[in-house]
Short mmCIF file of all heavy atoms in Angstrom, two decimals:
data_model
loop_
_atom_site.label_atom_id
_atom_site.label_comp_id
_atom_site.label_asym_id
_atom_site.label_seq_id
_atom_site.Cartn_x
_atom_site.Cartn_y
_atom_site.Cartn_z
N LEU C 20 148.74 75.54 91.81
CA LEU C 20 149.09 74.10 91.82
C LEU C 20 147.86 73.32 92.19
O LEU C 20 146.83 73.85 92.57
CB LEU C 20 150.19 73.86 92.85
CG LEU C 20 151.52 74.58 92.65
CD1 LEU C 20 152.42 74.34 93.83
CD2 LEU C 20 152.18 74.16 91.33
N ASP C 21 147.98 72.02 92.13
CA ASP C 21 146.89 71.12 92.58
C ASP C 21 146.67 71.30 94.08
O ASP C 21 147.64 71.63 94.82
CB ASP C 21 147.23 69.67 92.31
CG ASP C 21 147.25 69.35 90.82
OD1 ASP C 21 146.59 70.08 90.05
OD2 ASP C 21 147.90 68.36 90.45
N ASN C 22 145.50 71.08 94.54
CA ASN C 22 145.18 71.16 95.95
C ASN C 22 146.00 70.09 96.72
O ASN C 22 146.37 69.08 96.17
CB ASN C 22 143.71 70.93 96.23
CG ASN C 22 142.86 72.07 95.71
OD1 ASN C 22 143.36 73.07 95.23
ND2 ASN C 22 141.55 71.87 95.79
N ASP C 23 146.21 70.37 98.04
CA ASP C 23 146.88 69.35 98.85
C ASP C 23 145.86 68.24 99.18
O ASP C 23 144.76 68.26 98.73
CB ASP C 23 147.48 69.96 100.10
CG ASP C 23 146.46 70.53 101.10
OD1 ASP C 23 145.23 70.38 100.84
OD2 ASP C 23 146.86 71.08 102.10
N VAL C 24 146.32 67.26 99.96
CA VAL C 24 145.45 66.10 100.23
C VAL C 24 144.19 66.46 101.03
O VAL C 24 143.21 65.71 100.99
CB VAL C 24 146.24 64.99 101.02
CG1 VAL C 24 147.34 64.43 100.17
CG2 VAL C 24 146.76 65.51 102.33
N ASN C 25 144.20 67.61 101.69
CA ASN C 25 143.03 68.05 102.45
C ASN C 25 142.11 69.00 101.63
O ASN C 25 141.13 69.51 102.17
CB ASN C 25 143.46 68.74 103.73
CG ASN C 25 144.17 67.78 104.65
OD1 ASN C 25 143.76 66.65 104.81
ND2 ASN C 25 145.24 68.24 105.22
N GLY C 26 142.49 69.30 100.39
CA GLY C 26 141.68 70.14 99.57
C GLY C 26 142.00 71.62 99.64
O GLY C 26 141.28 72.43 99.09
N ASN C 27 143.07 71.97 100.31
CA ASN C 27 143.45 73.37 100.44
C ASN C 27 144.19 73.87 99.20
O ASN C 27 145.02 73.13 98.64
CB ASN C 27 144.35 73.57 101.66
CG ASN C 27 143.65 73.20 102.94
OD1 ASN C 27 142.49 73.55 103.14
ND2 ASN C 27 144.33 72.48 103.78
N PRO C 28 143.94 75.07 98.72
CA PRO C 28 144.59 75.59 97.51
C PRO C 28 146.09 75.87 97.77
O PRO C 28 146.43 76.30 98.87
CB PRO C 28 143.84 76.87 97.19
CG PRO C 28 143.20 77.27 98.48
CD PRO C 28 142.96 76.04 99.26
N ARG C 29 146.92 75.63 96.76
CA ARG C 29 148.35 75.85 96.85
C ARG C 29 148.79 76.70 95.65
O ARG C 29 148.26 76.56 94.57
CB ARG C 29 149.13 74.56 96.88
CG ARG C 29 148.78 73.69 98.05
CD ARG C 29 149.61 72.39 98.11
NE ARG C 29 149.79 71.80 96.79
CZ ARG C 29 150.93 71.22 96.38
NH1 ARG C 29 151.97 71.19 97.17
NH2 ARG C 29 151.01 70.68 95.17
N TYR C 30 149.81 77.52 95.88
CA TYR C 30 150.33 78.41 94.86
C TYR C 30 151.86 78.34 94.83
O TYR C 30 152.48 78.36 95.90
CB TYR C 30 149.88 79.83 95.10
CG TYR C 30 148.40 80.02 95.03
CD1 TYR C 30 147.62 79.91 96.20
CD2 TYR C 30 147.76 80.30 93.84
CE1 TYR C 30 146.26 80.04 96.11
CE2 TYR C 30 146.40 80.46 93.77
CZ TYR C 30 145.65 80.34 94.92
OH TYR C 30 144.31 80.47 94.87
N TYR C 31 152.44 78.36 93.64
CA TYR C 31 153.90 78.39 93.46
C TYR C 31 154.31 79.81 93.18
O TYR C 31 153.72 80.51 92.34
CB TYR C 31 154.30 77.49 92.30
CG TYR C 31 155.68 77.71 91.80
CD1 TYR C 31 156.77 77.16 92.43
CD2 TYR C 31 155.92 78.50 90.68
CE1 TYR C 31 158.05 77.39 91.99
CE2 TYR C 31 157.20 78.72 90.22
CZ TYR C 31 158.26 78.18 90.86
OH TYR C 31 159.52 78.41 90.44
N VAL C 32 155.38 80.24 93.87
CA VAL C 32 155.96 81.56 93.63
C VAL C 32 157.47 81.35 93.38
O VAL C 32 158.14 80.73 94.22
CB VAL C 32 155.72 82.51 94.84
CG1 VAL C 32 156.41 83.84 94.64
CG2 VAL C 32 154.26 82.69 95.09
N PRO C 33 158.04 81.87 92.31
CA PRO C 33 159.47 81.72 92.03
C PRO C 33 160.33 82.35 93.13
O PRO C 33 159.94 83.32 93.74
CB PRO C 33 159.68 82.43 90.71
CG PRO C 33 158.35 82.55 90.09
CD PRO C 33 157.35 82.58 91.23
N VAL C 34 161.48 81.79 93.37
CA VAL C 34 162.36 82.22 94.45
C VAL C 34 162.81 83.67 94.25
O VAL C 34 163.01 84.41 95.21
CB VAL C 34 163.55 81.26 94.60
CG1 VAL C 34 164.52 81.39 93.46
CG2 VAL C 34 164.25 81.45 95.92
N TYR C 35 163.01 84.11 93.00
CA TYR C 35 163.55 85.44 92.79
C TYR C 35 162.61 86.57 93.17
O TYR C 35 162.99 87.74 93.28
CB TYR C 35 163.99 85.62 91.31
CG TYR C 35 162.86 85.60 90.29
CD1 TYR C 35 162.11 86.73 90.04
CD2 TYR C 35 162.53 84.41 89.63
CE1 TYR C 35 161.06 86.70 89.12
CE2 TYR C 35 161.50 84.39 88.72
CZ TYR C 35 160.76 85.52 88.47
OH TYR C 35 159.76 85.48 87.58
N MET C 36 161.35 86.25 93.41
CA MET C 36 160.38 87.28 93.82
C MET C 36 160.60 87.73 95.26
O MET C 36 160.14 88.80 95.64
CB MET C 36 158.97 86.78 93.62
CG MET C 36 158.66 86.46 92.23
SD MET C 36 157.06 87.08 91.78
CE MET C 36 156.98 86.57 90.09
N PHE C 37 161.31 86.95 96.04
CA PHE C 37 161.63 87.30 97.39
C PHE C 37 163.11 87.50 97.52
O PHE C 37 163.86 86.67 97.99
CB PHE C 37 161.16 86.20 98.38
CG PHE C 37 159.64 86.14 98.48
CD1 PHE C 37 158.92 85.24 97.71
CD2 PHE C 37 158.98 87.00 99.32
CE1 PHE C 37 157.56 85.19 97.81
CE2 PHE C 37 157.60 86.93 99.42
CZ PHE C 37 156.90 86.03 98.67
N SER C 38 163.59 88.67 97.06
CA SER C 38 165.01 89.00 97.13
C SER C 38 165.20 90.33 97.85
O SER C 38 164.34 91.20 97.82
CB SER C 38 165.63 89.03 95.73
OG SER C 38 165.04 90.07 94.96
N ARG C 39 166.34 90.45 98.49
CA ARG C 39 166.69 91.68 99.18
C ARG C 39 167.33 92.64 98.18
O ARG C 39 167.61 92.30 97.05
CB ARG C 39 167.64 91.37 100.34
CG ARG C 39 167.01 90.51 101.40
CD ARG C 39 167.95 90.36 102.60
NE ARG C 39 167.27 89.61 103.63
CZ ARG C 39 167.42 88.32 103.85
NH1 ARG C 39 168.23 87.61 103.06
NH2 ARG C 39 166.78 87.71 104.80
N ASN C 40 167.60 93.84 98.65
CA ASN C 40 168.23 94.87 97.80
C ASN C 40 169.62 94.47 97.34
O ASN C 40 170.08 94.93 96.31
CB ASN C 40 168.25 96.21 98.48
CG ASN C 40 166.86 96.77 98.70
OD1 ASN C 40 165.93 96.43 97.96
ND2 ASN C 40 166.68 97.60 99.70
N ASP C 41 170.34 93.68 98.13
CA ASP C 41 171.70 93.29 97.78
C ASP C 41 171.72 92.08 96.84
O ASP C 41 172.80 91.58 96.49
CB ASP C 41 172.55 93.03 99.02
CG ASP C 41 172.01 91.88 99.87
OD1 ASP C 41 170.94 91.34 99.57
OD2 ASP C 41 172.67 91.55 100.86
N GLY C 42 170.58 91.58 96.44
CA GLY C 42 170.49 90.47 95.47
C GLY C 42 170.40 89.09 96.09
O GLY C 42 170.30 88.12 95.37
N THR C 43 170.40 88.94 97.39
CA THR C 43 170.26 87.66 98.03
C THR C 43 168.81 87.31 98.19
O THR C 43 167.96 88.18 98.31
CB THR C 43 170.96 87.64 99.42
OG1 THR C 43 170.36 88.62 100.24
CG2 THR C 43 172.44 87.92 99.27
N PHE C 44 168.50 86.02 98.18
CA PHE C 44 167.12 85.55 98.33
C PHE C 44 166.86 85.17 99.78
O PHE C 44 167.77 84.82 100.51
CB PHE C 44 166.89 84.34 97.44
CG PHE C 44 167.19 84.61 95.98
CD1 PHE C 44 168.22 83.91 95.36
CD2 PHE C 44 166.51 85.54 95.28
CE1 PHE C 44 168.51 84.15 94.03
CE2 PHE C 44 166.78 85.78 93.96
CZ PHE C 44 167.78 85.10 93.32
N TYR C 45 165.61 85.24 100.19
CA TYR C 45 165.24 84.84 101.54
C TYR C 45 163.98 84.00 101.49
O TYR C 45 163.20 84.07 100.55
CB TYR C 45 165.04 86.02 102.45
CG TYR C 45 163.91 86.95 102.10
CD1 TYR C 45 162.65 86.77 102.71
CD2 TYR C 45 164.03 87.98 101.18
CE1 TYR C 45 161.59 87.61 102.40
CE2 TYR C 45 162.98 88.81 100.87
CZ TYR C 45 161.76 88.63 101.47
OH TYR C 45 160.71 89.44 101.17
N ARG C 46 163.80 83.16 102.53
CA ARG C 46 162.63 82.31 102.63
C ARG C 46 161.55 83.10 103.37
O ARG C 46 161.71 83.43 104.54
CB ARG C 46 162.96 81.04 103.40
CG ARG C 46 161.77 80.12 103.53
CD ARG C 46 162.16 78.89 104.38
NE ARG C 46 161.05 77.97 104.49
CZ ARG C 46 160.14 78.02 105.42
NH1 ARG C 46 160.14 78.96 106.32
NH2 ARG C 46 159.15 77.16 105.45
#
């Protein structure tokens, strides 16, 4: 993604990449 206001790099990751074995998602 575009850098934040301080110039730090940002990355987007889809929510489904962080899922438990039972199919629920977590933050």
Side-chain angles (χ1 to χ4, degrees):
L20 300 173
D21 292 337
N22 291 354
D23 67 3
V24 295
N25 297 317
N27 299 316
R29 298 183 320 140
Y30 297 90
Y31 164 82
V32 177
V34 71
Y35 66 84
M36 298 224 179
F37 290 96
S38 62
R39 295 187 176 97
N40 293 335
D41 62 355
T43 59
F44 304 117
Y45 65 94
R46 180 184 183 272

